Amino acid sequence: GDHHQNISRQRKFSQVRFFEVICDGICIYMTGIFLFLFSFLQSLYRKTLQIAKLLADKALEAQACYSLGNTYTLLRDYEKAIEYHMRHLQIAQELNDRVGEGRACWSLGNAHTALGNHEDAMQFANQHLQISKEVYFTKDNKVHQICVKWFK
């Protein structure tokens, strides 16, 4: 009786362990695919940034910086993400692009939170809130109209 139970347990353990090894292999493979994809996107966005600078296209430069910041955030390189999101914020301010400023502030708040820089994160979160109120919650804005109807 005990001998058969031990063999049965050993088989179940082996089956579970085999499944774990297969899952680990799949995860490692998928991680490689994602890292390749992020590396490819990073290269693409850097080329876009170079082209934007050559063309002196500030809006395209801002978008490239935003995309690079997001890519570095996904790679968990928050310092580099902050660098690109700050460039995006500066360009958005030059262009008087309030939506772009809001997006940059939101992204900067998230990156600073990930680094544990909570004071900086709160500063950017508050800026994002102010910009959102200004941009999205005007009486002419559809978002405002939907919210008013929804929450009546």
Side-chain angles (χ1 to χ4, degrees):
D2 256 358
H3 178 69
H4 290 294
Q5 282 181 334
N6 286 340
I7 290 173
S8 178
R9 279 191 206 124
Q10 187 62 35
R11 282 186 184 149
K12 285 180 184 173
F13 176 77
S14 294
Q15 289 170 344
V16 168
R17 185 66 194 127
F18 176 76
F19 182 72
E20 287 175 349
V21 168
I22 294 295
C23 287
D24 287 348
I26 290 170
C27 287
I28 290 168
Y29 178 74
M30 293 302 291
T31 300
I33 289 172
F34 284 120
L35 289 175
F36 171 78
L37 178 61
F38 289 135
S39 176
F40 173 75
L41 290 173
Q42 183 181 32
S43 172
L44 182 67
Y45 296 141
R46 282 188 179 186
K47 287 186 190 319
T48 303
L49 183 57
Q50 289 173 344
I51 291 168
K53 287 180 177 182
L54 284 172
L55 298 174
D57 185 335
K58 286 294 195 178
L60 182 59
E61 185 178 345
Q63 183 60 48
C65 289
Y66 177 70
S67 297
L68 278 164
N70 287 337
T71 302
Y72 281 112
T73 296
L74 291 170
L75 292 171
R76 295 185 178 173
D77 186 347
Y78 301 111
E79 298 287 345
K80 202 74 163 167
I82 288 170
E83 180 183 320
Y84 281 104
H85 287 306
M86 281 302 296
R87 285 175 65 187
H88 175 221
L89 178 60
Q90 290 165 349
I91 295 167
Q93 289 170 337
E94 287 174 29
L95 297 174
N96 198 27
D97 174 9
R98 297 298 280 163
V99 172
E101 284 182 60
R103 287 181 179 153
C105 289
W106 176 260
S107 299
L108 283 161
N110 289 334
H112 279 289
T113 297
L115 289 174
N117 302 336
H118 300 297
E119 286 183 31
D120 290 335
M122 281 302 295
Q123 176 189 346
F124 286 113
N126 284 328
Q127 280 181 268
H128 175 263
L129 178 62
Q130 284 306 117
I131 293 168
S132 295
K133 284 179 181 178
E134 174 188 320
V135 171
Y136 295 109
F137 293 102
T138 62
K139 291 190 179 189
D140 320 345
N141 189 290
K142 295 245 184 256
V143 173
H144 174 78
Q145 294 167 7
I146 290 168
C147 289
V148 168
K149 283 182 184 177
W150 184 263
F151 294 107
K152 271 189 176 184

